[in-house]
Amino acid sequence: MLSRRLFPITVFVFAALPLLTGCSATTPSFNTPPLNAPALAPRANSRTSKGAEAARRSAETKLPAPENVTPPKGLFTVEPYLQWGNGDRTNAESVTLCWQTPDEASGVKTDRFVSEIRVGANGSWQKSEAAPVVLPLEIPNEAPQTIWKSTLGGLTAGSLFDYRLLQDGKPVFAGRARARRGANEPYRFAVFGDCAAGTIGQKRIAFQTFRAEPDFVFITGDIVYDRGRASEYREKFFPVYNAEKADPAVGAPLLRSTMLLAVIGNHDADYGNLGKWPDGLAYFYYWNPPLNGPTLAADGRNAPKTSGSAAAEKALAAAGGENYPRSASYSFDYGNSHWTVLDSNYYVDWNNQEMRAWLEKDLANAQKATWRFVAFHIPPFHSSREHRNEQWMRSLCPLFEKYKVDVVWTGHVHNYQRSYPMTFVPTGEPDREGRVEGTWTLDQEFDGDKNTRPAAPIYVVTGGGGAPLYNPDIQQKPSDWQPFTKKYVADTHSLTVVDVDGTKLSVRQISEKGKELDRFVLTK
């Protein structure tokens, strides 16, 4: 019983500690394998290996090689990449193909784009039924550009498909990807955050992610450093995650072959002074998640704050379209899991009646899902010195417990941390610094090996995606950790790889050089 497995501990809130002036990683204490070490083992498919999955995999071996297309020089400012869009299971599977070009005024013809898909070895190319959505990106002091979004529909759950983009009837880009896995299929996903900082660690994590062959990737915020600007995306994000080849010194072609989703972080949202950074808040026109989140108040509450330039605000609204500012919180289903994605930045009040009602309804409606995940940027529990007092998301823990959330994925703190399964009872609202006092209760019998059924949610910080690492000096000092911390790794960049097979969830933490740093299993 729960009461026999959990051990209550009263929270003592620590005073703020000074920030470190040096956050670089120390030399790992283990012998790391070379960057070309063997890739992760293939995902399990025991439940379907004798059925439709085996037949489909056999058919996929007969697929011709993907079409090789070299984009014309100067056509794209952002090459095509895949996004979730507003697709759901009420209709046939679909994804959204996005790209960006110079404005027509630059002399590049961009008015005759057509997207096509092809499914199966003997399939023929089928044109998208609807014309692309076209949005202007007219940032002050920058050359005007055009954002394009095309729906690739009619897909079969779990199947590979080829896609290509034509201009004036001529292919200008091509790729291959897989549609969302069905509810009865095994699948693999990767999670990391705090990533596009232009570092070698970022590129190595992109490379290791590609080698893991996930069905989708989730980024836990602080997507682009330092200010979430369009110029930073074009410099540090797209060249790494949409690279032409997989190479630890370059990155990998993830965006064109794998679905990526993300949650907005503080570096993505805090630079709304559009007079100073007119291309800020680029999250809202580069990312296209489902638009099923809470309806935001007309007075601007619970949305990023903007200032400084009416022209830049107008440009942001035009480029963001229906995404701005609603797309910061949303939910989606994948396989047998439900994900609830929350904007955890300072301007969002999750104690607001309307916001909390949306969250509770979303979690309540997810009770038929085998696995329930919540993802946001700012962690409620961690042991690093940085961001110690930013605890306001602790106020939601009772809801996570009530609706049986399995894992809460976060970033913000630039390392990897895993908590014991734990409950938390707040004794008040956040103070001026964001601290939340209360009592936590730990399930210390869960070990993720022999005992694989936790009595409460597990909180995972996976913020080692590329930004400078936090507090590696305490990695070997568990006495410096908070009592709820079970695992702490801060001397290397890393990503989380999760295999889901029915009622079994296998989690591994992988370093930038392919070393396994942590492993645990959940079962139901």
Side-chain angles (χ1 to χ4, degrees), residues 146-173:
T146 304
I147 296 172
W148 305 80
K149 303 176 185 181
S150 179
T151 300
L152 307 179
L155 304 175
T156 303
S159 291
L160 285 176
F161 64 93
D162 291 310
Y163 67 91
R164 65 183 183 183
L165 186 65
L166 286 71
Q167 185 192 35
D168 297 332
K170 181 181 179 180
V172 292
F173 193 88

Side-chain angles (χ1 to χ4, degrees), residues 69 146 220 271 288 411 418 507 509:
V69 176
T146 304
T220 56
Y271 297 92
N288 295 271
R418 168 167 63 96
V507 184
Q509 195 69 16

Side-chain angles (χ1 to χ4, degrees), residues 345-393:
N345 284 299
Y346 71 93
Y347 50 77
V348 180
D349 178 12
W350 284 107
N351 290 315
N352 172 271
Q353 183 177 354
E354 290 80 9
M355 298 290 284
R356 202 173 184 93
W358 174 86
L359 173 57
E360 186 154 11
K361 181 179 179 181
D362 183 80
L363 293 173
N365 289 342
Q367 294 308 291
K368 292 184 179 180
T370 304
W371 299 100
R372 289 172 286 278
F373 303 124
V374 173
F376 48 85
H377 182 59
I378 298 175
F381 306 102
H382 70 87
S383 286
S384 292
R385 290 186 286 272
E386 280 80 0
H387 309 306
R388 176 68 64 86
N389 293 333
E390 297 172 6
Q391 302 169 357
W392 50 80
M393 294 302 282

Side-chain angles (χ1 to χ4, degrees), residues 121-259:
N122 300 314
S124 58
W125 288 105
Q126 302 294 321
K127 290 182 172 58
S128 297
E129 294 183 2
V133 173
V134 182
L135 298 171
L137 181 57
E138 298 177 344
I139 299 170
N141 305 318
E142 289 195 14
Q145 300 178 50
T146 304
I147 296 172
W148 305 80
K149 303 176 185 181
S150 179
T151 300
L152 307 179
L155 304 175
T156 303
S159 291
L160 285 176
F161 64 93
D162 291 310
Y163 67 91
R164 65 183 183 183
L165 186 65
L166 286 71
Q167 185 192 35
D168 297 332
K170 181 181 179 180
V172 292
F173 193 88
R176 174 173 290 174
R178 188 182 296 278
R180 176 170 49 171
R181 295 280 185 176
N184 296 318
E185 296 182 77
Y187 54 98
R188 173 180 289 174
F189 63 88
V191 190
F192 60 83
D194 304 84
C195 44
T199 64
I200 187 62
Q202 174 200 354
K203 296 169 184 177
R204 289 176 175 176
I205 291 300
F207 175 72
Q208 294 294 346
T209 302
F210 186 78
R211 294 178 74 235
E213 298 183 352
D215 291 302
F216 71 96
V217 177
F218 190 90
I219 298 178
T220 56
D222 278 4
I223 306 162
V224 175
Y225 285 87
D226 282 325
R227 299 181 176 89
R229 301 171 63 186
S231 53
E232 292 169 334
Y233 269 91
R234 294 195 296 269
E235 177 187 354
K236 303 174 185 177
F237 183 82
F238 290 110
V240 174
Y241 303 112
N242 208 12
E244 293 293 330
K245 63 178 181 178
D247 187 308
V250 177
L254 281 164
L255 283 162
R256 65 186 64 186
S257 62
T258 309
M259 190 64 61

